[in-house]
Amino acid sequence: MGEAGVEIPTTIDEFLKDCETYAKPEENSYFYSLRGGVGSYDNLFIFLMSYAGADGFFDENGNCILNQDIFAEAMDNYAGIYKNGWVSRDSVTNSYKEMVAEFGSGISMSMSHNSTSATNHKENLGEGNFTNAIHPAGKSGKTAIPVPSIIGAAVTTQSSHPAEAAKFVEYLGAHSAASYFCQAAGKTPVNDLVYEDQWCKEDPYMGKYSEIMNSDSVILYNNPIWLTEWASFTGQDIVSDFQAVLMGDKESKEVLNSWAEKLTSYQQEYLKGRQ
């Protein structure tokens, strides 16, 4: 972006304009790499939630809000960057690997992902040739981002050596091990002591993650991972339906109504089981 004189967009309107302005299909060059295949739900929902300024999937009664008109408007805009030819035609099936390859080869100027892809970018582009940024904000001025996933270790009840296993888990959460793992894997630390390590202070990306977690303009929402159906829903329903929207075989409103109905059913069943 820097070499092309392109500013990082801070709003969704700026993002959509950049997608249009810098799309050069004849040169196989684009502003953004869309993820339309496996794993597409995270980027999709970040866009939808940010566009709508929403802080979750459900209202106070456990009903999914994705059937509201604002989300259909959001999905129309997001799908539009594919329909208008502002991203590669391969984007409809792009998974993580293909998305990173587009970004790393210069086909796209930007992509959306979490901290763990930094290692790939360093290999593809070299340190100093890319940066991270907060997702563009919606009209409310807010950016909605899912609560970070926690990677942890546990001891099973069937363990033959529970005391030793517990000791190992304790070690993994300690300062030295956490620091090594976070630096090697590009993870954001949960052990506060790691932030005082020199590598963390000097890391060009960690500061942005800290900004995200402490910004008043960022909404943190929970993906409903407590629903037993969530994995199959995101891995099957969302992928096929979103691709159908991109290809023009289904309408955004139709798909979102279906998703809202299913998620409401799952959530109501979950709430019923907790009573």
Side-chain angles (χ1 to χ4, degrees):
M1 281 190 192
E3 292 182 1
V6 182
E7 295 290 333
I8 296 174
T10 59
T11 69
I12 285 178
D13 285 344
E14 291 174 354
F15 166 76
L16 294 172
K17 183 63 178 177
D18 286 343
C19 286
E20 178 182 13
T21 301
Y22 299 106
K24 300 177 180 179
E26 68 282 359
E27 300 176 15
N28 198 29
S29 177
Y30 305 91
F31 179 76
Y32 185 64
S33 183
L34 180 72
R35 186 173 182 175
V38 175
S40 59
Y41 76 93
D42 232 0
N43 291 351
L44 171 61
F45 284 136
I46 289 173
F47 187 94
L48 297 185
M49 295 293 180
S50 296
Y51 191 100
D55 61 1
F57 286 81
F58 305 100
D59 62 20
E60 63 275 11
N61 297 314
N63 297 313
C64 183
I65 64 173
L66 291 178
N67 55 3
Q68 295 177 2
D69 290 343
I70 187 68
F71 291 103
E73 180 182 321
M75 186 180 280
D76 283 342
N77 275 280
Y78 192 54
I81 66 177
Y82 179 82
K83 293 180 178 181
N84 292 328
W86 299 345
V87 291
S88 73
R89 303 317 296 170
D90 294 331
S91 293
V92 67
T93 55
N94 274 0
S95 63
Y96 172 78
K97 180 180 178 181
E98 290 76 25
M99 176 180 65
V100 169
E102 284 191 353
F103 180 59
S105 64
I107 291 176
S108 65
M109 297 182 189
S110 64
M111 56 165 273
S112 300
H113 200 251
N114 56 52
S115 64
T116 59
S117 60
T119 301
N120 293 112
H121 307 325
K122 290 175 185 178
E123 293 174 353
N124 293 336
L125 297 167
E127 185 65 87
N129 294 317
F130 66 96
T131 189
N132 57 344
I134 299 177
H135 188 279
K139 289 182 171 57
S140 68
K142 302 285 188 179
T143 294
I145 297 174
V147 172
S149 301
I150 301 297
I151 294 179
V155 181
T156 66
T157 56
Q158 292 81 20
S159 174
S160 300
H161 303 280
E164 292 83 353
K167 194 68 175 177
F168 182 62
V169 169
E170 182 180 349
Y171 164 74
L172 292 176
H175 178 197
S176 60
S179 182
Y180 174 82
F181 175 71
C182 290
Q183 184 177 16
K187 301 292 185 181
T188 50
V190 294
N191 187 317
D192 289 343
L193 295 176
V194 178
Y195 290 99
E196 298 304 316
D197 291 343
Q198 197 63 30
W199 77 264
C200 194
K201 292 179 178 179
E202 296 175 353
D203 188 279
Y205 317 108
M206 287 297 169
K208 184 61 64 177
Y209 304 137
S210 177
E211 180 184 342
I212 289 171
M213 296 302 294
N214 293 285
S215 174
D216 292 335
S217 63
V218 171
I219 301 170
L220 293 177
Y221 68 89
N222 283 297
N223 283 320
I225 58 175
W226 57 85
L227 300 176
T228 57
E229 301 89 352
W230 180 247
S232 60
F233 176 73
T234 56
Q236 299 173 22
D237 297 61
I238 288 180
V239 174
S240 60
D241 285 344
F242 181 47
Q243 289 177 337
V245 171
L246 294 177
M247 297 299 292
D249 297 328
K250 289 185 178 181
E251 297 294 326
S252 297
K253 186 66 175 176
E254 170 193 359
V255 164
L256 288 165
N257 284 344
S258 172
W259 292 355
E261 183 178 352
K262 288 181 179 180
L263 287 175
T264 295
S265 174
Y266 301 152
Q267 178 71 352
Q268 293 297 333
E269 189 66 27
Y270 168 77
L271 294 174
K272 182 180 178 181
R274 295 189 62 190
Q275 293 177 354

